[in-house]
Amino acid sequence: FPKEKQVKYFKGVGNEFATETHTFYEKQDDLLPVIIDNGGASILKVYQLNEKGIFLVYEQAEYYEDEVPSLQSLQAEFNETSILTKSIKVGRVINGWEIVSVDEKLTIQVGTLNNVIVLERENEDGSLNREYWAPIYSLVKKEFYMKHEDGNETRHWVGPQILSAGMLAQRGTMQ
């Protein structure tokens, strides 16, 4: 997972994904709060990061506060959902997401990332979602793909436009 106090900007392509900003705040013990803003809606997520893996423990849609609340005040509402857990190997399924690669190379604006983990989920309508997770950067790309009955294809993706550390502190919005 990325280090705390970072901002990641993602450029969306297609109707399925809008441009997103992921703001990572200061880690509290093994909890990392993140605000995801796509220009129309903002979501607060709290991840738990430990030796067992990455877990989403809290999610609040329509979150428009300037500050992250005390994580201790949210703990009664925590509900653990596995994102990436040990052991990470091709073919393993975690909450409906299948690990399809553990050593992908992905070239993005900041360069080529190695050892990227690719997760895939097929939806009931036959569409496919894919996520790319890279060491240090965490989630670096999301894709949506659908092949229609008439043979046409729909592809949408959101990927990093800029991945940089310390931008929050420079903008004066980090505690």
Side-chain angles (χ1 to χ4, degrees):
F1 224 78
K3 296 177 182 174
E4 58 192 335
K5 300 181 183 180
Q6 290 190 28
V7 176
K8 296 191 322 185
Y9 298 95
F10 291 87
K11 180 179 180 180
V13 175
N15 294 332
E16 187 72 19
F17 292 115
T19 298
E20 295 179 351
T21 302
H22 295 209
T23 304
F24 294 83
Y25 288 84
E26 188 169 348
K27 193 174 170 187
Q28 298 174 29
D29 296 320
D30 64 350
L31 301 173
L32 180 62
V34 180
I35 295 179
I36 300 169
D37 184 350
N38 70 8
S42 188
I43 301 169
L44 170 64
K45 292 186 176 189
V46 178
Y47 292 95
Q48 183 176 37
L49 315 171
N50 59 40
E51 67 281 348
K52 295 178 185 176
I54 301 170
F55 304 88
L56 177 65
V57 295
Y58 181 82
E59 184 171 23
Q60 180 182 336
E62 305 297 325
Y63 184 81
Y64 298 107
E65 302 297 322
D66 292 332
E67 302 291 328
V68 173
S70 158
L71 299 184
Q72 193 172 29
S73 70
L74 302 175
Q75 281 187 322
E77 299 177 55
F78 280 9
N79 183 18
E80 186 178 282
T81 302
S82 299
I83 304 295
L84 273 176
T85 57
K86 292 184 178 178
S87 87
I88 296 173
K89 60 184 178 183
V90 172
R92 181 162 178 248
V93 177
I94 305 170
N95 284 327
W97 290 87
E98 181 180 356
I99 299 172
V100 296
S101 179
V102 294
D103 59 356
E104 194 84 9
K105 284 188 178 189
L106 181 65
T107 301
I108 59 173
Q109 184 179 11
V110 297
T112 299
L113 303 175
N114 296 308
N115 302 317
V116 175
I117 298 168
V118 181
L119 303 177
E120 209 171 74
R121 179 181 67 199
E122 186 172 340
N123 303 304
E124 290 180 17
D125 63 1
S127 63
L128 187 69
N129 287 86
R130 186 175 277 175
E131 293 185 343
Y132 297 79
W133 291 75
I136 300 172
Y137 294 108
S138 74
L139 181 63
V140 293
K141 186 176 181 181
K142 297 187 287 186
E143 294 178 328
F144 171 84
Y145 170 80
M146 175 176 251
K147 187 166 188 169
H148 303 280
E149 291 179 12
D150 62 5
N152 289 325
E153 296 179 349
T154 301
R155 290 183 187 270
H156 305 287
W157 61 273
V158 60
Q161 185 175 23
I162 300 171
L163 293 175
S164 59
M167 296 182 85
L168 271 180
Q170 294 172 6
R171 290 178 25 201
T173 58
M174 181 57 61
Q175 295 182 358

